[in-house]
């Protein structure tokens, strides 16, 4: 049975960089493309980014079978490690990874996590 997991990353990006790009890179790594019909083939997920100056906090909430957790986290880490993404408009975005690690599900995320688990 699927469970909900969280992966947090702190990135450095310039003001000109698109904060959506790292989340799109994660979606490509997990689903093959940033636009696709549901459901996500490996792990239904949601990304959230918050910018403060040149620091961007990326939070990936995903649902997966427990034995697939390591693979999903590995794909997220690999996508972020590439540190570059070209969007559909041809815009190239760069970032540096300061940190990336598993996170804890917050109480306010429980309803969304439940949706992902049953998606």
């Amino acid at each position: 049975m699927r469970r909900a997991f969280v992966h947090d990353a702190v990135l450095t990006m310039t003001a000109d960089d698109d904060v959506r790009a790292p989340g799109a890179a994660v979606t490509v790594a997990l689903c093959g493309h940033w636009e696709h019909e549901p459901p996500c083939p490996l792990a239904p997920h949601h990304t959230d980014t918050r910018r403060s100056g040149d620091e961007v906090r990326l939070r990936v909430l995903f649902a997966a079978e427990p034995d697939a957790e390591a693979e999903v986290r590995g794909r997220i880490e690999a996508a972020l490690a590439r540190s570059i993404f070209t969007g559909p408009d041809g815009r190239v975005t760069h970032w540096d990874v300061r940190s990336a690690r598993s996170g804890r599900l917050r109480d306010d995320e429980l309803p969304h996590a439940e949706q992902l688990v049953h998606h």
Side-chain angles (χ1 to χ4, degrees), residues 47-62:
T47 59
D48 182 57
T49 54
R50 307 290 167 126
R51 179 189 285 274
S52 178
D54 66 350
E55 181 180 275
V56 174
R57 294 189 175 274
L58 173 70
R59 188 163 175 89
V60 182
L61 177 61
F62 67 93

Side-chain angles (χ1 to χ4, degrees), residues 32-90:
H33 198 276
W34 60 80
E35 289 182 354
H36 64 87
E37 291 296 318
C40 297
L42 176 62
H45 65 284
H46 171 78
T47 59
D48 182 57
T49 54
R50 307 290 167 126
R51 179 189 285 274
S52 178
D54 66 350
E55 181 180 275
V56 174
R57 294 189 175 274
L58 173 70
R59 188 163 175 89
V60 182
L61 177 61
F62 67 93
E65 297 292 333
D67 61 346
E69 176 189 5
E71 178 184 355
V72 174
R73 288 190 191 282
R75 289 185 185 202
I76 292 168
E77 294 275 345
L80 295 177
R82 286 189 197 98
S83 301
I84 188 169
F85 185 80
T86 303
D89 60 357

Side-chain angles (χ1 to χ4, degrees), residues 1-5 42 44 62-69 113-114 116-119:
M1 180 174 195
R2 283 188 193 157
R3 288 188 39 221
F5 300 95
L42 176 62
F62 67 93
E65 297 292 333
D67 61 346
E69 176 189 5
E114 193 66 24
L116 292 174
V117 166
H118 296 293
H119 194 280

